[in-house]
Amino acid sequence: MSFIVAIDGPAGAGKGTITKLVGERLGLVNIDTGATFRCVALNMIQENIKIEEEKKIQEVLDKIHIKMEPNGKIFLNEKEVTKRIRENDVNDLVSPVSTLPIVRNKLLEIQRKIAEGKNVIMEGRDIGTVVFPNADVKIYLDATAEERARRRVLQNQEKGIEASYEEVLEKIKERDKRDSTREIAPLKKAEDAIYVDSTNLNIDQVVEEVINIIKDVSK
Ligand code: DC
């Protein structure tokens, strides 16, 4: 039997940071499902496959091997890609890739397998609605698009990436729209998920709130 905490929400709401910190505090294995979509996008880039080439994408999916180590390192077909999957070409391709049913079906299988028999905190877009509809705790972590853009610009500056606030905000809105209007497994709050708005909270405050919710629900 495993204990599952599902954290869903839009890009830039802080899911990655919060999931990692809460996982460390509560001894839960942290699983970033966005990274699995990023691995598929990277594999397509490596093999020079376009989004329309469904047959070739299926071939990639048939032999893909994704490994996530407890220390956060991610391996695609036995090679470490932890940093590579955060680069711009992957950022641009991953959202369209995540709308493809063949990709979602395959990754659903992989994501469920990764969590098997473990106590996990899993972040994504459809964890509480599709991947683990019976998760023990479901949280929907949100923030306004403007606040998420502000955070992303700061992160980019730390990494030495230049992009204006307006440009980043535009991309975030585009991605929100695509993620929440796609036909299969769209981004939406599960009916029984607890809504957390992080717009006016700092990281420590969100971590405390999420830990309190998990403790409360699992009493
Ligand atoms: O969280 P992220 O930015 O690494 O996610 C990358 C893309 O993958 C994003 O466009 C949405 C998609 N995604 C998804 O559709 N379902 C998930 N469970 C996780 C991510």
Side-chain angles (χ1 to χ4, degrees):
M1 268 284 282
S2 54
F3 180 79
I4 295 173
V5 179
I7 311 264
D8 290 304
K15 299 187 300 296
T17 309
I18 301 305
T19 303
K20 186 166 173 286
L21 293 170
V22 172
E24 282 167 8
R25 287 262 301 268
L26 300 183
L28 302 168
V29 178
N30 163 13
I31 301 170
D32 166 13
T33 60
T36 63
F37 289 90
R38 288 173 179 274
C39 282
V40 174
L42 176 58
N43 211 170
M44 286 168 59
I45 292 168
Q46 290 167 336
E47 308 265 335
N48 205 9
I49 298 172
K50 301 279 164 291
I51 190 95
E52 313 74 40
E53 297 180 296
E54 197 161 314
K55 202 159 161 255
K56 288 189 182 166
I57 298 174
Q58 186 62 57
E59 281 165 18
V60 158
L61 294 171
D62 286 342
K63 54 180 185 358
I64 201 163
H65 186 229
I66 298 169
K67 191 170 106 193
M68 291 180 167
E69 289 192 341
N71 57 16
K73 283 190 182 163
I74 295 160
F75 292 81
L76 165 63
N77 299 330
E78 325 310 331
K79 266 183 71 182
E80 201 202 329
V81 294
T82 318
K83 287 211 176 106
R84 177 69 186 88
I85 57 170
R86 308 279 155 201
E87 288 180 16
N88 271 339
D89 52 352
V90 177
N91 287 344
D92 290 342
L93 186 64
V94 67
S95 180
V97 164
S98 74
T99 66
L100 300 175
I102 50 168
V103 172
R104 299 208 74 88
N105 285 338
K106 174 70 184 189
L107 292 184
L108 183 61
E109 197 186 292
I110 291 178
Q111 288 159 9
R112 286 182 175 156
K113 205 170 249 162
I114 292 176
E116 226 166 53
K118 301 188 186 97
N119 296 327
V120 304
I121 181 162
M122 187 179 253
E123 58 132 325
R125 305 292 191 285
D126 61 341
I127 311 306
T129 51
V130 176
V131 184
F132 288 113
N134 296 322
D136 298 271
V137 183
K138 297 183 189 179
I139 291 171
Y140 190 88
L141 186 60
D142 205 359
T144 60
E146 288 71 18
E147 173 60 17
R148 288 184 283 128
R150 196 188 65 80
R151 293 176 190 170
R152 185 53 50 89
V153 169
L154 285 178
Q155 269 176 1
N156 284 351
Q157 279 169 356
E158 278 163 22
K159 290 190 213 151
I161 302 169
E162 281 298 317
S164 74
Y165 170 81
E166 286 72 24
E167 221 177 297
V168 172
L169 179 61
E170 196 51 41
K171 279 207 168 173
I172 282 188
K173 286 185 173 168
E174 245 173 60
R175 182 118 84 99
D176 282 356
K177 189 161 175 226
R178 196 168 325 115
D179 289 347
S180 56
T181 57
R182 68 175 174 233
E183 265 177 42
I184 170 168
L187 168 67
K188 72 165 196 265
K189 180 186 161 301
E191 262 175 35
D192 52 349
I194 296 167
Y195 186 83
V196 175
D197 182 355
S198 76
T199 307
N200 297 309
L201 301 178
N202 65 32
I203 292 172
D204 289 344
Q205 290 169 320
V206 183
V207 168
E208 284 313 316
E209 186 162 345
V210 169
I211 288 180
N212 286 338
I213 293 170
I214 296 171
K215 287 189 172 158
D216 241 31
V217 175
S218 49
K219 249 184 217 158

